[in-house]
Amino acid sequence: MPTKSKPLAFTEADLKKLATPQSFDRGQSYYRGNSIENPMRQGNKLSADCWGSQRYRTQVTLSNHNITHAKCTCPYDWGGICKHQVALLLTYIHEPDSFQALDSLSKMLSSHSREDLIGLIAQMVERSPDLLRLIEISAIQTSDQPFSISTYQRQMQKAMNLDDLEAIVDILDMLKGQAEQITLNGDWHNGGRLYDMLLSEMTVGYSWSLQEIDYDGEVACYANDFARGLAECLAHMPPGEKIRIDWLDSLLEAVFHDIDIGGMDYAYPAFDGVIEQATQDEWQVLEARIQDKMVNAEDWDRRALVRLLTKRQEHLGNPGAADALVHELGTPEQKAFLLIQEQRFDEAIAIAHQHFTDKPGLVTRLADALLQAKQPEKALHYITEQIQRGNRYSFTDWLIGYHQHYGDPKDALNVELDRFWTTVHQHSYQRLRQVADQLKQWDTLKPQLLKRFKKEKYWSLLLDIALEDQDADAVLTYLKKLKNWEQFKYYAPVAKLVSKTHPDKALELYQALVQRLIDQRGRESYRAAAQYLLQVRQIITEQQSVEAWSRYIGGVRSHNKTLRALHDELAKAGL
């Protein structure tokens, strides 16, 4: 019989700390709907099937008042534990005796003979043929057999051609475990051979189609592990070993692959492994390959390749050689920023004028670098030249920041005012207000703006401002100024604002909203109409009578008696 375990101290309060409110509510619905089946407990580990849109297998390992591990076959990954795990834990909190108590797997298997275990495994393989690959991978190499990598390579290639993420991860995890065990035994040569194969096959097989299903990077993480393991094996191999250059080549290919797919840190330990582990003779071979790849490289690729070359020189303690490489092979961006570090500002600006004009992010970055180098005048002059040369991008934000921190803050307000009058809307008004507030100029500027808005008939903006100022009279005045088709979007906020001061007008607006939404048809429109009807009910019962409300809602029901979805939403809202 399994050993009876004491219940762990875990409460609903503990659970609510581990799940989002949405996950907790949905998990509670699953629990109340008896969606948990086959609940089992092995020590601190709980597991069960949970029926949702399909059957999910969910697991949780508890410690007192917390969780140490959680896993579910559902795709949830939006913070906290999923609703299926919530349902499992609620079942344990409220019905702990419903869990079948099991001993640990090792304890259950310890009483079986070798023949029994072989028979049991055979039954498992018959039910799940995919287990064969795990058995093949885990076959231990005996001391009188030469190390053969073909079994591992066959399974790795199979994994890279699957489209089931969980199955891929299962194989990679087993292969990683085998490589780790070999190196733990001190066999750095065969461990390196295995890591080399795993990384090489991963680099070839990590295609765009695999990247699309690996959205959480579960598979890509194994490339990091393989690269790290291979670099460690390299560190234990004496210089002169022929196999070293093959391993370094695999690391370099992983770096190249990361560059080719846009720099997502694929197998990122490979970068440091190449730089730190290559001997000088080996580096000459690798450097020739890097130079060959650079021949037709675009800016992004070239920047990454130059960085690889310069980091090697920095690792060797040759910063001067690294800078020389940038000047010789670097992209215009790399050269310009290095020139600023060297205080060769005019040369940097000349490169920027030639190459950065259509790259506004680089323009402002260079200007910021000049500011950091304590060259504010040159930075302002550079940005001003960009504007005068007709650069089509806006540098208003940069200019405002410059004037606030390095120039005259009043100039910042003038720049913001110029931008405002080219794009007059609520957002630009708020932005202008923020700058003017900082200068304590808003109380003076606002009346001037309002006067001009009225003169130029910016009624929508004036209405937005009046809503923000909670000015009910002004809101109603400006609402009348708008064309009919412009008014509708303001009905709800205006009605809400004037409901106390002008209840009759609020009622008129709410009723118009209700009718418009009902005419639109659709469940969402009916649900919104029901919410506005709650406001209508409050105003009518307060200003008129309960009977008046009954007549009104009765008329709504009567005129729309065929709209079953509307009546359903009215009932849900208590109407």
Side-chain angles (χ1 to χ4, degrees), residues 15 47 58 90 100 147 158 171 225 275 438 502 515:
L15 177 53
S47 61
T58 187
L90 284 171
Q100 181 184 357
F147 181 85
K158 181 177 181 179
I171 297 176
D225 295 331
I275 291 170
Q438 292 172 354
H502 301 77
Q515 189 57 55

Side-chain angles (χ1 to χ4, degrees), residues 306-425:
V306 170
R307 179 171 172 265
L308 184 61
L309 294 173
T310 57
K311 286 295 181 182
R312 169 68 179 188
Q313 293 302 323
E314 290 171 4
H315 172 71
L316 296 175
N318 300 323
D323 291 348
L325 281 168
V326 171
H327 285 306
E328 178 188 357
L329 302 172
T331 63
E333 175 187 346
Q334 289 173 314
K335 292 178 181 178
F337 284 95
L338 178 58
L339 286 167
I340 288 179
Q341 290 178 24
E342 296 173 344
Q343 299 190 349
R344 296 159 65 182
F345 306 117
D346 291 339
E347 293 174 71
I349 291 170
I351 290 176
H353 278 315
Q354 186 177 356
H355 296 282
F356 295 0
T357 299
D358 290 330
K359 300 173 182 177
L362 273 180
V363 170
T364 54
R365 274 185 56 208
L366 188 96
D368 288 339
L370 288 167
L371 291 176
Q372 291 172 7
K374 299 182 179 180
Q375 298 295 313
E377 295 83 5
K378 289 186 180 294
L380 178 61
H381 184 67
Y382 168 60
I383 291 291
T384 303
E385 279 189 311
Q386 288 292 308
I387 296 170
Q388 291 173 345
R389 292 184 180 196
N391 192 317
R392 65 182 184 274
Y393 301 103
S394 173
F395 300 107
T396 302
D397 288 331
W398 190 92
L399 285 169
I400 290 170
Y402 172 86
H403 289 306
Q404 287 175 327
H405 296 96
Y406 297 94
D408 186 342
K410 291 181 181 179
D411 289 337
L413 180 58
N414 292 331
V415 172
E416 189 61 76
L417 266 169
D418 289 342
R419 174 164 66 177
F420 173 76
W421 289 117
T422 61
T423 55
V424 179
H425 50 66

Side-chain angles (χ1 to χ4, degrees), residues 394-507:
S394 173
F395 300 107
T396 302
D397 288 331
W398 190 92
L399 285 169
I400 290 170
Y402 172 86
H403 289 306
Q404 287 175 327
H405 296 96
Y406 297 94
D408 186 342
K410 291 181 181 179
D411 289 337
L413 180 58
N414 292 331
V415 172
E416 189 61 76
L417 266 169
D418 289 342
R419 174 164 66 177
F420 173 76
W421 289 117
T422 61
T423 55
V424 179
H425 50 66
Q426 176 71 357
H427 176 67
S428 59
Y429 174 82
Q430 295 296 342
R431 196 167 52 203
L432 177 61
R433 177 177 180 173
Q434 183 178 10
V435 175
D437 268 336
Q438 292 172 354
L439 295 171
K440 303 188 184 307
Q441 296 284 324
W442 183 242
D443 290 341
T444 303
L445 180 61
K446 182 179 178 182
Q448 300 172 11
L449 293 173
L450 293 179
K451 184 178 180 180
R452 183 167 171 180
F453 294 162
K454 291 174 186 177
K455 181 180 179 180
E456 300 190 15
K457 299 181 180 181
Y458 289 123
W459 304 125
S460 292
L461 178 57
L462 285 164
L463 180 51
D464 288 328
I465 295 169
L467 282 168
E468 180 184 323
D469 293 343
Q470 299 285 289
D471 187 340
D473 291 331
V475 161
L476 293 176
T477 298
Y478 297 135
L479 183 64
K480 293 176 185 177
K481 301 285 188 181
L482 299 181
K483 294 180 174 62
N484 289 337
W485 59 270
E486 294 178 295
Q487 291 184 9
F488 180 70
K489 70 176 182 178
Y490 289 103
Y491 278 9
V494 171
K496 182 179 180 181
L497 175 63
V498 305
S499 60
K500 298 300 182 184
T501 57
H502 301 77
D504 291 342
K505 186 61 181 179
L507 181 60

